[in-house]
């Protein structure tokens, strides 16, 4: 039975913080949730605008591999709350889900708001107090928490505290990374926050920037090398931007690209503009007489290459290379693109880095601050888009919620 004198403060009302509050309050422990934003779950709601991709249906071993190099750590959390258990939990909120053609899992209505409304209603029924417009400022000398509310500052001293403050992307929604200095001052080991699932910069001509910024490239495959130098290919789609390139295909390999740029200052990948065709087939079609057709019209007629891909081909090759059918066919299957950097951290979908694993117990309690737990994106892990980010945030919240209860029992 819970001790009636115990109370828990949760700082941050995203999926990880709310899940920790859910687990703790279900056990009968009073929980107060504080969030700096005017309403809770703002980043969660924005992530669901284009369709709430809540998790993925692939087999668990492949699912866990997505979290490399922190896969064994995240696997511990998923042992507490797996992707299938997440779906069951959503169904218990009265929200049905379906599996899309890509294996991604969505609520039937594709929206985040109904799930959040149902969840918040249940949390209130469990006695959870929600305090928006309440920014955590750190600690007083006596260890109590400083909470700024409008024109006043609260001083609270809960039995345990959960920090679920997010990374440092989308600062306008509350994840501003300001917690780093507060934890560093307390001796907590941190890895620098970096952009994850981010766009990359390229050197584009003014023509490509102005005429094709925002153009989709699909279908497309990318050729790249992993950290061991082994070649790989991946098919999907991405978007040309004024500054470079972004999209799900790029996000899937963003960690490898970022780490290479960190080491070498740039990275070159190969773009397969025609993944549905073989190089031999392309060369055969390009060997046909062109007559008076421009190269662009010829490529559209023979290979159905759209204007954005034609422009990209011109951008990344020479006129001499485009004259020879064999050379041109090879370029269409492996067009070199050099990425020179990442877009700013606040533009990224998520962040890598944060509180290091060595700074935490298995229950995600800070070694340096007994009774203070960390959950969600502020921990040092990352994942590609596709439901992996949300699933691990939920699972870390479950791990922390149970960890808090074990701590209070001790």
């Amino acid at each position: 039975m819970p001790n009636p004198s115990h109370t828990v403060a949760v700082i941050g009302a995203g999926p990880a913080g709310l899940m920790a509050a859910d687990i703790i309050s279900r056990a009968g422990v009073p929980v107060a949730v504080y969030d700096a934003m005017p309403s809770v779950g703002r980043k969660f709601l924005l992530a669901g605008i284009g369709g709430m991709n809540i998790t993925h249906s692939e087999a668990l071993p492949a699912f866990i591999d997505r979290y490399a190099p922190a896969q064994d750590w995240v696997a511990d959390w998923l042992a507490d709350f797996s992707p299938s258990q997440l779906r069951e939990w959503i169904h218990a909120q009265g929200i049905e889900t379906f599996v899309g053609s890509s294996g991604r899992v969505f609520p039937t209505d594709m929206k985040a708001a109904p799930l959040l409304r149902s969840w918040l209603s249940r949390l209130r029924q469990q006695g959870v107090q929600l305090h928006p417009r309440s920014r955590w400022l750190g600690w007083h000398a006596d260890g109590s928490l400083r909470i700024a509310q409008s024109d006043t500052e609260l001083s609270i001293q809960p039995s345990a505290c959960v920090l679920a403050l997010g990374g440092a992307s989308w600062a306008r929604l509350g994840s501003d990374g300001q917690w780093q200095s507060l934890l560093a001052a307390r001796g907590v080991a941190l890895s620098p926050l970096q952009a994850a699932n981010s766009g990359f910069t390229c050197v584009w001509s003014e023509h490509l920037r102005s005429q094709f910024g925002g153009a989709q490239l699909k279908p497309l495959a990318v050729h790249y090398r992993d950290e061991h130098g082994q070649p790989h290919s991946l098919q999907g789609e991405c978007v040309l931007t004024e500054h470079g390139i972004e999209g799900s295909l790029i996000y899937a390999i963003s960690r490898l690209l970022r780490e290479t740029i960190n080491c070498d200052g740039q990275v070159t990948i190969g773009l397969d503009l025609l993944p549905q065709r073989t190089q031999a087939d392309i060369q055969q079609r390009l060997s046909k007489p062109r007559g008076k057709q421009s190269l662009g019209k010829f490529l559209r007629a023979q290979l159905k290459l759209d204007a954005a891909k034609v422009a990209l081909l011109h951008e990344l090759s020479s006129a001499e290379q485009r004259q020879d059918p064999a050379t041109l066919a090879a370029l269409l299957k492996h067009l070199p693109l050099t990425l020179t950097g990442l877009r700013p951290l606040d533009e990224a979908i998520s962040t890598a880095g944060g509180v290091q694993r060595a700074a935490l117990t298995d229950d995600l309690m800070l070694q340096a601050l007994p009774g203070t737990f960390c959950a969600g994106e502020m921990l040092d892990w990352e994942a590609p888009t596709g439901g992996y980010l949300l699933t691990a945030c939920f699972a870390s919240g479950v791990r922390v919620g149970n960890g808090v209860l074990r701590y209070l029992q001790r």
Side-chain angles (χ1 to χ4, degrees), residues 84-128:
S84 60
Q85 287 173 298
L86 173 57
R87 290 186 70 185
E88 292 168 4
W89 176 83
I90 294 170
H91 298 161
Q93 313 301 313
I95 307 294
E96 293 302 313
T97 61
F98 73 96
V99 180
S101 58
S102 64
R104 299 183 179 197
V105 177
F106 303 88
T108 302
D109 61 4
M110 299 289 287
K111 298 177 181 178
L115 173 59
L116 183 61
R117 282 197 300 268
S118 174
W119 193 12
L120 292 177
S121 175
R122 189 161 62 79
L123 289 174
R124 291 188 179 99
Q125 291 173 10
Q126 291 171 194
V128 174

mmCIF file of all heavy atoms in Angstrom, residues 84-128:
data_model
loop_
_atom_site.group_PDB
_atom_site.id
_atom_site.type_symbol
_atom_site.label_atom_id
_atom_site.label_comp_id
_atom_site.label_asym_id
_atom_site.label_seq_id
_atom_site.Cartn_x
_atom_site.Cartn_y
_atom_site.Cartn_z
ATOM 1 N N SER A 84 3.349 -3.890 -28.903
ATOM 2 C CA SER A 84 2.017 -4.506 -28.862
ATOM 3 C C SER A 84 1.265 -4.100 -27.601
ATOM 4 O O SER A 84 0.038 -3.876 -27.639
ATOM 5 C CB SER A 84 2.139 -6.030 -28.936
ATOM 6 O OG SER A 84 2.902 -6.539 -27.851
ATOM 7 N N GLN A 85 1.975 -3.946 -26.483
ATOM 8 C CA GLN A 85 1.323 -3.475 -25.256
ATOM 9 C C GLN A 85 0.879 -2.025 -25.389
ATOM 10 O O GLN A 85 -0.152 -1.633 -24.832
ATOM 11 C CB GLN A 85 2.272 -3.628 -24.065
ATOM 12 C CG GLN A 85 2.469 -5.067 -23.618
ATOM 13 C CD GLN A 85 3.537 -5.196 -22.539
ATOM 14 O OE1 GLN A 85 4.708 -4.874 -22.763
ATOM 15 N NE2 GLN A 85 3.135 -5.658 -21.367
ATOM 16 N N LEU A 86 1.644 -1.233 -26.129
ATOM 17 C CA LEU A 86 1.230 0.147 -26.389
ATOM 18 C C LEU A 86 -0.080 0.175 -27.162
ATOM 19 O O LEU A 86 -0.998 0.943 -26.839
ATOM 20 C CB LEU A 86 2.325 0.887 -27.148
ATOM 21 C CG LEU A 86 1.992 2.302 -27.637
ATOM 22 C CD1 LEU A 86 1.559 3.203 -26.480
ATOM 23 C CD2 LEU A 86 3.180 2.918 -28.378
ATOM 24 N N ARG A 87 -0.199 -0.670 -28.159
ATOM 25 C CA ARG A 87 -1.450 -0.727 -28.930
ATOM 26 C C ARG A 87 -2.617 -1.149 -28.039
ATOM 27 O O ARG A 87 -3.711 -0.579 -28.126
ATOM 28 C CB ARG A 87 -1.310 -1.694 -30.103
ATOM 29 C CG ARG A 87 -0.387 -1.198 -31.203
ATOM 30 C CD ARG A 87 -0.397 -2.129 -32.395
ATOM 31 N NE ARG A 87 -1.675 -2.066 -33.110
ATOM 32 C CZ ARG A 87 -1.986 -2.857 -34.141
ATOM 33 N NH1 ARG A 87 -1.125 -3.776 -34.552
ATOM 34 N NH2 ARG A 87 -3.148 -2.735 -34.744
ATOM 35 N N GLU A 88 -2.388 -2.136 -27.172
ATOM 36 C CA GLU A 88 -3.441 -2.572 -26.248
ATOM 37 C C GLU A 88 -3.848 -1.436 -25.313
ATOM 38 O O GLU A 88 -5.035 -1.259 -25.007
ATOM 39 C CB GLU A 88 -2.959 -3.777 -25.437
ATOM 40 C CG GLU A 88 -2.780 -5.044 -26.262
ATOM 41 C CD GLU A 88 -2.030 -6.124 -25.499
ATOM 42 O OE1 GLU A 88 -1.723 -5.906 -24.297
ATOM 43 O OE2 GLU A 88 -1.749 -7.195 -26.090
ATOM 44 N N TRP A 89 -2.860 -0.662 -24.875
ATOM 45 C CA TRP A 89 -3.140 0.464 -23.985
ATOM 46 C C TRP A 89 -3.986 1.516 -24.707
ATOM 47 O O TRP A 89 -4.928 2.082 -24.125
ATOM 48 C CB TRP A 89 -1.813 1.059 -23.512
ATOM 49 C CG TRP A 89 -1.947 2.281 -22.664
ATOM 50 C CD1 TRP A 89 -2.185 2.349 -21.318
ATOM 51 C CD2 TRP A 89 -1.859 3.638 -23.120
ATOM 52 N NE1 TRP A 89 -2.251 3.658 -20.910
ATOM 53 C CE2 TRP A 89 -2.057 4.469 -21.982
ATOM 54 C CE3 TRP A 89 -1.628 4.224 -24.361
ATOM 55 C CZ2 TRP A 89 -2.028 5.861 -22.065
ATOM 56 C CZ3 TRP A 89 -1.604 5.610 -24.444
ATOM 57 C CH2 TRP A 89 -1.803 6.412 -23.311
ATOM 58 N N ILE A 90 -3.659 1.776 -25.972
ATOM 59 C CA ILE A 90 -4.441 2.737 -26.757
ATOM 60 C C ILE A 90 -5.875 2.241 -26.921
ATOM 61 O O ILE A 90 -6.839 3.003 -26.780
ATOM 62 C CB ILE A 90 -3.785 2.971 -28.127
ATOM 63 C CG1 ILE A 90 -2.432 3.666 -27.955
ATOM 64 C CG2 ILE A 90 -4.686 3.811 -29.034
ATOM 65 C CD1 ILE A 90 -1.608 3.730 -29.221
ATOM 66 N N HIS A 91 -6.029 0.959 -27.200
ATOM 67 C CA HIS A 91 -7.380 0.388 -27.351
ATOM 68 C C HIS A 91 -8.174 0.539 -26.055
ATOM 69 O O HIS A 91 -9.394 0.768 -26.079
ATOM 70 C CB HIS A 91 -7.288 -1.089 -27.747
ATOM 71 C CG HIS A 91 -6.608 -1.313 -29.063
ATOM 72 N ND1 HIS A 91 -6.077 -2.528 -29.438
ATOM 73 C CD2 HIS A 91 -6.364 -0.463 -30.105
ATOM 74 C CE1 HIS A 91 -5.529 -2.419 -30.636
ATOM 75 N NE2 HIS A 91 -5.695 -1.181 -31.061
ATOM 76 N N ALA A 92 -7.479 0.429 -24.913
ATOM 77 C CA ALA A 92 -8.147 0.583 -23.619
ATOM 78 C C ALA A 92 -8.634 2.007 -23.393
ATOM 79 O O ALA A 92 -9.523 2.241 -22.560
ATOM 80 C CB ALA A 92 -7.206 0.170 -22.489
ATOM 81 N N GLN A 93 -8.071 2.971 -24.140
ATOM 82 C CA GLN A 93 -8.541 4.362 -24.063
ATOM 83 C C GLN A 93 -9.769 4.584 -24.944
ATOM 84 O O GLN A 93 -10.275 5.702 -25.037
ATOM 85 C CB GLN A 93 -7.440 5.341 -24.514
ATOM 86 C CG GLN A 93 -6.063 5.124 -23.927
ATOM 87 C CD GLN A 93 -6.050 5.200 -22.424
ATOM 88 O OE1 GLN A 93 -6.611 6.120 -21.832
ATOM 89 N NE2 GLN A 93 -5.420 4.231 -21.793
ATOM 90 N N GLY A 94 -10.213 3.523 -25.636
ATOM 91 C CA GLY A 94 -11.350 3.642 -26.537
ATOM 92 C C GLY A 94 -10.968 4.081 -27.937
ATOM 93 O O GLY A 94 -11.830 4.473 -28.727
ATOM 94 N N ILE A 95 -9.682 3.982 -28.267
ATOM 95 C CA ILE A 95 -9.179 4.392 -29.580
ATOM 96 C C ILE A 95 -8.704 3.151 -30.332
ATOM 97 O O ILE A 95 -7.827 2.432 -29.856
ATOM 98 C CB ILE A 95 -8.007 5.391 -29.451
ATOM 99 C CG1 ILE A 95 -8.392 6.579 -28.561
ATOM 100 C CG2 ILE A 95 -7.523 5.836 -30.820
ATOM 101 C CD1 ILE A 95 -9.473 7.451 -29.120
ATOM 102 N N GLU A 96 -9.261 2.888 -31.488
ATOM 103 C CA GLU A 96 -8.839 1.751 -32.302
ATOM 104 C C GLU A 96 -7.644 2.138 -33.183
ATOM 105 O O GLU A 96 -7.444 3.316 -33.483
ATOM 106 C CB GLU A 96 -9.993 1.254 -33.180
ATOM 107 C CG GLU A 96 -11.141 0.645 -32.381
ATOM 108 C CD GLU A 96 -10.680 -0.521 -31.517
ATOM 109 O OE1 GLU A 96 -9.950 -1.396 -32.029
ATOM 110 O OE2 GLU A 96 -11.032 -0.543 -30.326
ATOM 111 N N THR A 97 -6.872 1.142 -33.595
ATOM 112 C CA THR A 97 -5.705 1.392 -34.440
ATOM 113 C C THR A 97 -5.739 0.496 -35.675
ATOM 114 O O THR A 97 -6.484 -0.485 -35.726
ATOM 115 C CB THR A 97 -4.399 1.118 -33.666
ATOM 116 O OG1 THR A 97 -4.367 -0.259 -33.257
ATOM 117 C CG2 THR A 97 -4.271 2.010 -32.443
ATOM 118 N N PHE A 98 -4.929 0.853 -36.662
ATOM 119 C CA PHE A 98 -4.772 0.013 -37.849
ATOM 120 C C PHE A 98 -3.323 0.069 -38.308
ATOM 121 O O PHE A 98 -2.581 1.001 -37.965
ATOM 122 C CB PHE A 98 -5.714 0.441 -38.979
ATOM 123 C CG PHE A 98 -5.315 1.725 -39.667
ATOM 124 C CD1 PHE A 98 -4.566 1.704 -40.846
ATOM 125 C CD2 PHE A 98 -5.685 2.957 -39.128
ATOM 126 C CE1 PHE A 98 -4.195 2.895 -41.478
ATOM 127 C CE2 PHE A 98 -5.320 4.144 -39.758
ATOM 128 C CZ PHE A 98 -4.575 4.115 -40.925
ATOM 129 N N VAL A 99 -2.917 -0.934 -39.069
ATOM 130 C CA VAL A 99 -1.564 -1.012 -39.603
ATOM 131 C C VAL A 99 -1.585 -0.554 -41.053
ATOM 132 O O VAL A 99 -2.312 -1.102 -41.882
ATOM 133 C CB VAL A 99 -0.999 -2.447 -39.509
ATOM 134 C CG1 VAL A 99 0.420 -2.500 -40.076
ATOM 135 C CG2 VAL A 99 -1.008 -2.929 -38.064
ATOM 136 N N GLY A 100 -0.784 0.472 -41.368
ATOM 137 C CA GLY A 100 -0.717 0.978 -42.724
ATOM 138 C C GLY A 100 0.115 0.080 -43.630
ATOM 139 O O GLY A 100 0.722 -0.903 -43.188
ATOM 140 N N SER A 101 0.173 0.426 -44.910
ATOM 141 C CA SER A 101 0.887 -0.394 -45.890
ATOM 142 C C SER A 101 2.375 -0.485 -45.596
ATOM 143 O O SER A 101 3.033 -1.456 -45.964
ATOM 144 C CB SER A 101 0.664 0.166 -47.297
ATOM 145 O OG SER A 101 1.107 1.520 -47.369
ATOM 146 N N SER A 102 2.928 0.521 -44.901
ATOM 147 C CA SER A 102 4.358 0.529 -44.571
ATOM 148 C C SER A 102 4.663 -0.200 -43.268
ATOM 149 O O SER A 102 5.818 -0.293 -42.869
ATOM 150 C CB SER A 102 4.853 1.975 -44.460
ATOM 151 O OG SER A 102 4.207 2.630 -43.380
ATOM 152 N N GLY A 103 3.628 -0.697 -42.599
ATOM 153 C CA GLY A 103 3.810 -1.350 -41.311
ATOM 154 C C GLY A 103 3.649 -0.410 -40.141
ATOM 155 O O GLY A 103 3.653 -0.837 -38.986
ATOM 156 N N ARG A 104 3.487 0.875 -40.416
ATOM 157 C CA ARG A 104 3.293 1.841 -39.334
ATOM 158 C C ARG A 104 1.884 1.716 -38.762
ATOM 159 O O ARG A 104 0.939 1.384 -39.470
ATOM 160 C CB ARG A 104 3.527 3.263 -39.849
ATOM 161 C CG ARG A 104 4.933 3.495 -40.377
ATOM 162 C CD ARG A 104 5.138 4.925 -40.816
ATOM 163 N NE ARG A 104 6.506 5.149 -41.302
ATOM 164 C CZ ARG A 104 7.066 6.334 -41.443
ATOM 165 N NH1 ARG A 104 6.382 7.426 -41.144
ATOM 166 N NH2 ARG A 104 8.306 6.440 -41.878
ATOM 167 N N VAL A 105 1.764 2.014 -37.465
ATOM 168 C CA VAL A 105 0.492 1.878 -36.769
ATOM 169 C C VAL A 105 -0.080 3.262 -36.482
ATOM 170 O O VAL A 105 0.632 4.155 -35.994
ATOM 171 C CB VAL A 105 0.674 1.101 -35.451
ATOM 172 C CG1 VAL A 105 -0.645 1.015 -34.683
ATOM 173 C CG2 VAL A 105 1.215 -0.301 -35.727
ATOM 174 N N PHE A 106 -1.375 3.434 -36.793
ATOM 175 C CA PHE A 106 -2.057 4.720 -36.619
ATOM 176 C C PHE A 106 -3.376 4.518 -35.880
ATOM 177 O O PHE A 106 -3.994 3.452 -35.998
ATOM 178 C CB PHE A 106 -2.397 5.346 -37.984
ATOM 179 C CG PHE A 106 -1.226 5.567 -38.889
ATOM 180 C CD1 PHE A 106 -0.785 4.563 -39.751
ATOM 181 C CD2 PHE A 106 -0.567 6.781 -38.905
ATOM 182 C CE1 PHE A 106 0.291 4.768 -40.593
ATOM 183 C CE2 PHE A 106 0.509 7.005 -39.752
ATOM 184 C CZ PHE A 106 0.940 5.993 -40.597
ATOM 185 N N PRO A 107 -3.845 5.533 -35.142
ATOM 186 C CA PRO A 107 -5.237 5.514 -34.684
ATOM 187 C C PRO A 107 -6.153 5.521 -35.897
ATOM 188 O O PRO A 107 -5.806 6.087 -36.938
ATOM 189 C CB PRO A 107 -5.375 6.811 -33.876
ATOM 190 C CG PRO A 107 -3.976 7.217 -33.547
ATOM 191 C CD PRO A 107 -3.121 6.728 -34.676
ATOM 192 N N THR A 108 -7.317 4.917 -35.774
ATOM 193 C CA THR A 108 -8.218 4.794 -36.918
ATOM 194 C C THR A 108 -8.560 6.149 -37.524
ATOM 195 O O THR A 108 -8.653 6.292 -38.748
ATOM 196 C CB THR A 108 -9.514 4.078 -36.496
ATOM 197 O OG1 THR A 108 -9.172 2.789 -35.974
ATOM 198 C CG2 THR A 108 -10.450 3.888 -37.669
ATOM 199 N N ASP A 109 -8.722 7.171 -36.676
ATOM 200 C CA ASP A 109 -9.064 8.488 -37.209
ATOM 201 C C ASP A 109 -7.837 9.318 -37.548
ATOM 202 O O ASP A 109 -7.960 10.489 -37.951
ATOM 203 C CB ASP A 109 -9.958 9.262 -36.235
ATOM 204 C CG ASP A 109 -9.289 9.514 -34.892
ATOM 205 O OD1 ASP A 109 -8.100 9.155 -34.746
ATOM 206 O OD2 ASP A 109 -9.946 10.068 -33.998
ATOM 207 N N MET A 110 -6.616 8.729 -37.365
ATOM 208 C CA MET A 110 -5.348 9.363 -37.728
ATOM 209 C C MET A 110 -5.013 10.582 -36.870
ATOM 210 O O MET A 110 -4.079 11.315 -37.179
ATOM 211 C CB MET A 110 -5.352 9.787 -39.205
ATOM 212 C CG MET A 110 -5.532 8.637 -40.186
ATOM 213 S SD MET A 110 -4.084 7.572 -40.261
ATOM 214 C CE MET A 110 -2.930 8.612 -41.154
ATOM 215 N N LYS A 111 -5.727 10.823 -35.771
ATOM 216 C CA LYS A 111 -5.530 12.029 -34.989
ATOM 217 C C LYS A 111 -4.997 11.718 -33.596
ATOM 218 O O LYS A 111 -5.272 10.666 -33.030
ATOM 219 C CB LYS A 111 -6.838 12.812 -34.880
ATOM 220 C CG LYS A 111 -7.383 13.295 -36.223
ATOM 221 C CD LYS A 111 -8.714 13.987 -36.043
ATOM 222 C CE LYS A 111 -9.285 14.445 -37.388
ATOM 223 N NZ LYS A 111 -10.617 15.078 -37.230
ATOM 224 N N ALA A 112 -4.249 12.684 -33.036
ATOM 225 C CA ALA A 112 -3.722 12.536 -31.684
ATOM 226 C C ALA A 112 -4.678 13.080 -30.631
ATOM 227 O O ALA A 112 -4.680 12.609 -29.488
ATOM 228 C CB ALA A 112 -2.378 13.263 -31.573
ATOM 229 N N ALA A 113 -5.486 14.074 -30.994
ATOM 230 C CA ALA A 113 -6.316 14.776 -30.009
ATOM 231 C C ALA A 113 -7.291 13.857 -29.265
ATOM 232 O O ALA A 113 -7.404 13.958 -28.037
ATOM 233 C CB ALA A 113 -7.057 15.929 -30.680
ATOM 234 N N PRO A 114 -8.028 12.961 -29.940
ATOM 235 C CA PRO A 114 -8.957 12.101 -29.185
ATOM 236 C C PRO A 114 -8.247 11.219 -28.153
ATOM 237 O O PRO A 114 -8.760 11.037 -27.045
ATOM 238 C CB PRO A 114 -9.615 11.258 -30.286
ATOM 239 C CG PRO A 114 -9.498 12.086 -31.518
ATOM 240 C CD PRO A 114 -8.182 12.783 -31.399
ATOM 241 N N LEU A 115 -7.078 10.699 -28.516
ATOM 242 C CA LEU A 115 -6.322 9.880 -27.571
ATOM 243 C C LEU A 115 -5.892 10.714 -26.372
ATOM 244 O O LEU A 115 -6.028 10.287 -25.217
ATOM 245 C CB LEU A 115 -5.106 9.275 -28.266
ATOM 246 C CG LEU A 115 -4.113 8.527 -27.361
ATOM 247 C CD1 LEU A 115 -4.796 7.375 -26.637
ATOM 248 C CD2 LEU A 115 -2.926 8.022 -28.185
ATOM 249 N N LEU A 116 -5.373 11.916 -26.617
ATOM 250 C CA LEU A 116 -4.920 12.763 -25.517
ATOM 251 C C LEU A 116 -6.093 13.159 -24.620
ATOM 252 O O LEU A 116 -5.966 13.140 -23.384
ATOM 253 C CB LEU A 116 -4.223 14.006 -26.066
ATOM 254 C CG LEU A 116 -3.630 14.951 -25.017
ATOM 255 C CD1 LEU A 116 -2.565 14.247 -24.182
ATOM 256 C CD2 LEU A 116 -3.043 16.201 -25.676
ATOM 257 N N ARG A 117 -7.236 13.502 -25.210
ATOM 258 C CA ARG A 117 -8.409 13.890 -24.398
ATOM 259 C C ARG A 117 -8.843 12.744 -23.498
ATOM 260 O O ARG A 117 -9.116 12.931 -22.299
ATOM 261 C CB ARG A 117 -9.565 14.318 -25.308
ATOM 262 C CG ARG A 117 -9.443 15.706 -25.869
ATOM 263 C CD ARG A 117 -10.786 16.198 -26.412
ATOM 264 N NE ARG A 117 -11.288 15.332 -27.476
ATOM 265 C CZ ARG A 117 -11.042 15.531 -28.769
ATOM 266 N NH1 ARG A 117 -10.276 16.553 -29.142
ATOM 267 N NH2 ARG A 117 -11.538 14.713 -29.682
ATOM 268 N N SER A 118 -8.927 11.545 -24.056
ATOM 269 C CA SER A 118 -9.336 10.381 -23.270
ATOM 270 C C SER A 118 -8.357 10.107 -22.143
ATOM 271 O O SER A 118 -8.750 9.819 -21.002
ATOM 272 C CB SER A 118 -9.450 9.159 -24.189
ATOM 273 O OG SER A 118 -9.715 7.986 -23.447
ATOM 274 N N TRP A 119 -7.074 10.218 -22.466
ATOM 275 C CA TRP A 119 -6.029 9.942 -21.478
ATOM 276 C C TRP A 119 -6.066 10.957 -20.341
ATOM 277 O O TRP A 119 -6.021 10.602 -19.157
ATOM 278 C CB TRP A 119 -4.683 9.967 -22.187
ATOM 279 C CG TRP A 119 -3.532 9.414 -21.405
ATOM 280 C CD1 TRP A 119 -3.572 8.705 -20.245
ATOM 281 C CD2 TRP A 119 -2.149 9.515 -21.761
ATOM 282 N NE1 TRP A 119 -2.305 8.358 -19.843
ATOM 283 C CE2 TRP A 119 -1.420 8.843 -20.756
ATOM 284 C CE3 TRP A 119 -1.470 10.092 -22.818
ATOM 285 C CZ2 TRP A 119 -0.025 8.746 -20.788
ATOM 286 C CZ3 TRP A 119 -0.088 9.996 -22.865
ATOM 287 C CH2 TRP A 119 0.624 9.327 -21.861
ATOM 288 N N LEU A 120 -6.174 12.237 -20.680
ATOM 289 C CA LEU A 120 -6.200 13.272 -19.650
ATOM 290 C C LEU A 120 -7.431 13.132 -18.757
ATOM 291 O O LEU A 120 -7.355 13.377 -17.541
ATOM 292 C CB LEU A 120 -6.177 14.657 -20.297
ATOM 293 C CG LEU A 120 -4.883 15.048 -21.016
ATOM 294 C CD1 LEU A 120 -5.028 16.416 -21.672
ATOM 295 C CD2 LEU A 120 -3.695 15.047 -20.059
ATOM 296 N N SER A 121 -8.540 12.740 -19.343
ATOM 297 C CA SER A 121 -9.748 12.529 -18.545
ATOM 298 C C SER A 121 -9.526 11.427 -17.516
ATOM 299 O O SER A 121 -9.904 11.569 -16.341
ATOM 300 C CB SER A 121 -10.920 12.172 -19.466
ATOM 301 O OG SER A 121 -12.070 11.851 -18.702
ATOM 302 N N ARG A 122 -8.873 10.347 -17.940
ATOM 303 C CA ARG A 122 -8.621 9.249 -17.005
ATOM 304 C C ARG A 122 -7.609 9.642 -15.947
ATOM 305 O O ARG A 122 -7.724 9.262 -14.777
ATOM 306 C CB ARG A 122 -8.142 8.008 -17.765
ATOM 307 C CG ARG A 122 -8.071 6.756 -16.892
ATOM 308 C CD ARG A 122 -8.053 5.511 -17.740
ATOM 309 N NE ARG A 122 -6.886 5.471 -18.607
ATOM 310 C CZ ARG A 122 -5.668 5.114 -18.188
ATOM 311 N NH1 ARG A 122 -5.465 4.800 -16.924
ATOM 312 N NH2 ARG A 122 -4.664 5.061 -19.031
ATOM 313 N N LEU A 123 -6.589 10.409 -16.338
ATOM 314 C CA LEU A 123 -5.604 10.868 -15.362
ATOM 315 C C LEU A 123 -6.257 11.729 -14.282
ATOM 316 O O LEU A 123 -5.952 11.598 -13.086
ATOM 317 C CB LEU A 123 -4.487 11.647 -16.056
ATOM 318 C CG LEU A 123 -3.513 10.823 -16.913
ATOM 319 C CD1 LEU A 123 -2.560 11.744 -17.659
ATOM 320 C CD2 LEU A 123 -2.727 9.841 -16.059
ATOM 321 N N ARG A 124 -7.165 12.599 -14.698
ATOM 322 C CA ARG A 124 -7.863 13.438 -13.711
ATOM 323 C C ARG A 124 -8.704 12.575 -12.777
ATOM 324 O O ARG A 124 -8.779 12.841 -11.565
ATOM 325 C CB ARG A 124 -8.728 14.476 -14.432
ATOM 326 C CG ARG A 124 -7.918 15.549 -15.168
ATOM 327 C CD ARG A 124 -8.830 16.653 -15.702
ATOM 328 N NE ARG A 124 -8.075 17.688 -16.390
ATOM 329 C CZ ARG A 124 -7.934 17.759 -17.716
ATOM 330 N NH1 ARG A 124 -8.511 16.839 -18.502
ATOM 331 N NH2 ARG A 124 -7.232 18.730 -18.266
ATOM 332 N N GLN A 125 -9.342 11.539 -13.329
ATOM 333 C CA GLN A 125 -10.126 10.627 -12.495
ATOM 334 C C GLN A 125 -9.239 9.907 -11.477
ATOM 335 O O GLN A 125 -9.690 9.552 -10.381
ATOM 336 C CB GLN A 125 -10.860 9.609 -13.367
ATOM 337 C CG GLN A 125 -11.979 10.195 -14.206
ATOM 338 C CD GLN A 125 -12.567 9.191 -15.185
ATOM 339 O OE1 GLN A 125 -12.262 7.999 -15.127
ATOM 340 N NE2 GLN A 125 -13.412 9.659 -16.080
ATOM 341 N N GLN A 126 -7.969 9.702 -11.829
ATOM 342 C CA GLN A 126 -7.019 9.062 -10.920
ATOM 343 C C GLN A 126 -6.408 10.053 -9.937
ATOM 344 O O GLN A 126 -5.551 9.685 -9.135
ATOM 345 C CB GLN A 126 -5.896 8.379 -11.723
ATOM 346 C CG GLN A 126 -6.379 7.169 -12.506
ATOM 347 C CD GLN A 126 -5.358 6.601 -13.482
ATOM 348 O OE1 GLN A 126 -5.693 5.796 -14.350
ATOM 349 N NE2 GLN A 126 -4.093 6.981 -13.359
ATOM 350 N N GLY A 127 -6.844 11.298 -10.013
ATOM 351 C CA GLY A 127 -6.397 12.297 -9.058
ATOM 352 C C GLY A 127 -5.188 13.101 -9.483
ATOM 353 O O GLY A 127 -4.661 13.905 -8.702
ATOM 354 N N VAL A 128 -4.712 12.909 -10.722
ATOM 355 C CA VAL A 128 -3.540 13.657 -11.192
ATOM 356 C C VAL A 128 -3.911 15.132 -11.364
ATOM 357 O O VAL A 128 -4.910 15.466 -11.998
ATOM 358 C CB VAL A 128 -3.025 13.083 -12.521
ATOM 359 C CG1 VAL A 128 -1.895 13.939 -13.081
ATOM 360 C CG2 VAL A 128 -2.547 11.648 -12.326
#
